[in-house]
Amino acid sequence: MSESTRSRRDQLVALAKETRGFMPDDEGEALLEAALRAGRAFDKATFLEIGAWCGKSTIYLGCAAEATGAVLFSLDHHRGSEENQAGWEHHEPDLVDPSDGRIDTLPHWRRAVAVASLESCVVGVVGDSPTVARCWRTPLAFCFVDGGHGEEPAWADYRGWAPLVAEGAWLAIHDVFEDPADGGRPPYELWRHALDSGRFVEDGHEGSLRVLRKAAGGRR
Ligand code: MG
């Protein structure tokens, strides 16, 4: 790695760490490393993240996209998941837009991407994940699932996007807790299902981040 490449990575990792969000530092760096593997394995790779919030994971993944000539599509409706709404565990009142009382993380996401100077390789997609998945045709070299953690949105993300992961490409799932005492079930169940389906094999983990790789020529 050249000196300038290293310093750019260090700069982006430092920015990601400062950015608002729920990704622990070691998991963010593991996410970045996994996306670098994907970016190197696929020419002009397409990355997708589902669940961008205020842009923390976007910067980790954008760093890998920039370094490998990939493009990251960062998908979120920016209205917060169920667990972010008032009265729930991860509610942050200052993210509510006073004009309509709804969460709006898009301005925060946009600022994070601009401050990181990643606008040339990160594209924001604002909308509903299953709707976008239905219209999406480009095979994914890297797909990061970190959207709504309730049963319905988590499975909709998996069913919508896992088939669009290219053979030999990567699927990462966040907030996978093997012990139910540590967190909600759906991300764990997606991860288990992906492995049990025979379509994906393990390719690393860090904390609650699980990295999978789609078996080439595997069952579909
Ligand atoms: Mg998460």
Side-chain angles (χ1 to χ4, degrees), residues 55-219:
K56 190 181 190 72
S57 52
T58 311
I59 296 177
Y60 286 114
L61 291 170
C63 177
E66 183 184 77
T68 59
V71 174
L72 168 65
F73 291 87
S74 175
L75 168 62
D76 201 311
H77 47 55
H78 287 284
R79 296 302 190 183
S81 303
E82 186 180 45
E83 57 270 23
N84 307 121
Q85 305 305 320
W88 288 72
E89 186 185 356
H90 295 293
H91 184 57
E92 298 181 12
D94 64 307
L95 295 174
V96 172
D97 178 347
S99 71
D100 63 3
R102 302 171 76 194
I103 287 175
D104 186 5
T105 53
L106 180 57
H108 298 262
W109 178 89
R110 191 163 204 181
R111 196 173 313 125
V113 173
V115 167
S117 299
L118 284 169
E119 288 168 309
S120 62
C121 61
V122 174
V123 178
V125 180
V126 180
D128 172 58
S129 164
T131 305
V132 178
R134 260 201 315 278
C135 300
W136 193 277
R137 296 291 175 271
T138 308
L140 302 173
F142 193 89
C143 180
F144 177 48
V145 177
D146 193 23
H149 291 35
E151 189 156 335
E152 191 185 325
W155 279 104
D157 287 340
Y158 181 82
R159 293 200 176 101
W161 292 104
L164 292 158
V165 174
E167 285 192 359
W170 282 260
L171 173 70
I173 304 174
H174 197 221
D175 303 305
V176 172
F177 298 107
E178 297 190 43
D179 183 347
D182 295 331
R185 290 285 79 195
Y188 169 79
E189 289 162 3
L190 305 190
W191 171 71
R192 254 319 345 148
H193 176 84
L195 285 174
D196 293 345
S197 72
R199 282 173 291 186
F200 292 91
V201 295
E202 290 187 85
D203 188 49
H205 62 91
E206 181 68 53
S208 73
L209 176 73
R210 294 289 182 283
V211 181
L212 302 167
R213 195 164 181 196
K214 197 176 232 184
R219 284 183 284 137

Side-chain angles (χ1 to χ4, degrees), residues 31-70:
L31 182 69
L32 163 54
E33 285 298 330
L36 282 170
R37 295 199 287 283
R40 291 182 189 124
F42 286 81
D43 189 35
K44 296 188 174 64
T46 299
F47 297 169
L48 175 83
E49 73 165 336
I50 306 149
W53 193 241
C54 296
K56 190 181 190 72
S57 52
T58 311
I59 296 177
Y60 286 114
L61 291 170
C63 177
E66 183 184 77
T68 59

